[in-house]
Amino acid sequence: MQHDIIIACLAITVVSCWIGVIGAWRMRQPTQALHYLAMPTGLGALFLFIAVLLQTGWGETTAKTIVICIVFIITNSAGAHATARAIRTRQLGHWGPRKEDGVEFIPEDRQ
């Protein structure tokens, strides 16, 4: 029974990674593709942790897996933000909002 649960957890990890890859590949805009990075780093990392925990029990391997999963989850949002910022800077030549960008924003004097 435990072996079947481990296989199911690993299968969910692999499927979430493939959904992330296919979703990122199918999106037209690079910033849309960034949304699909959350599935492998969140859901995939969680089920990988569960599989390692069931296979090895609490120990050094599980502790390392916890650290790796936490790093994945934390760096995903920071990496996505930095990538989106780099994409915007490359497309527009600047980062800050300007009136000629066609994006609605609140000027600093109205805040």
Side-chain angles (χ1 to χ4, degrees):
M1 178 66 176
Q2 184 177 357
H3 179 72
D4 294 335
I5 295 172
I6 292 169
I7 297 296
C9 288
L10 292 175
I12 291 171
T13 300
V14 169
V15 168
S16 71
C17 289
W18 275 107
I19 289 173
V21 167
I22 292 170
W25 176 59
R26 295 288 297 156
M27 291 295 105
R28 297 189 196 288
Q29 300 294 322
T31 52
Q32 292 173 338
L34 289 174
H35 290 85
Y36 284 92
L37 298 177
M39 185 174 281
T41 58
L43 187 68
L46 175 67
F47 279 97
L48 181 63
F49 159 71
I50 293 170
V52 169
L53 176 64
L54 292 175
Q55 178 69 32
T56 63
W58 290 103
E60 186 177 335
T61 305
T62 305
K64 289 178 182 178
T65 306
I66 290 171
V67 171
I68 290 169
C69 291
I70 289 171
V71 168
F72 276 169
I73 291 169
I74 290 172
T75 59
N76 177 45
S77 58
H81 175 77
T83 304
R85 188 174 181 161
I87 290 168
R88 177 178 167 82
T89 302
R90 183 159 179 97
Q91 288 175 346
L92 300 177
H94 58 88
W95 165 244
R98 295 183 185 163
K99 291 181 181 179
E100 60 269 9
D101 292 341
V103 177
E104 183 179 347
F105 69 97
I106 300 172
E108 291 181 16
D109 58 342
R110 287 186 44 200
Q111 292 181 354

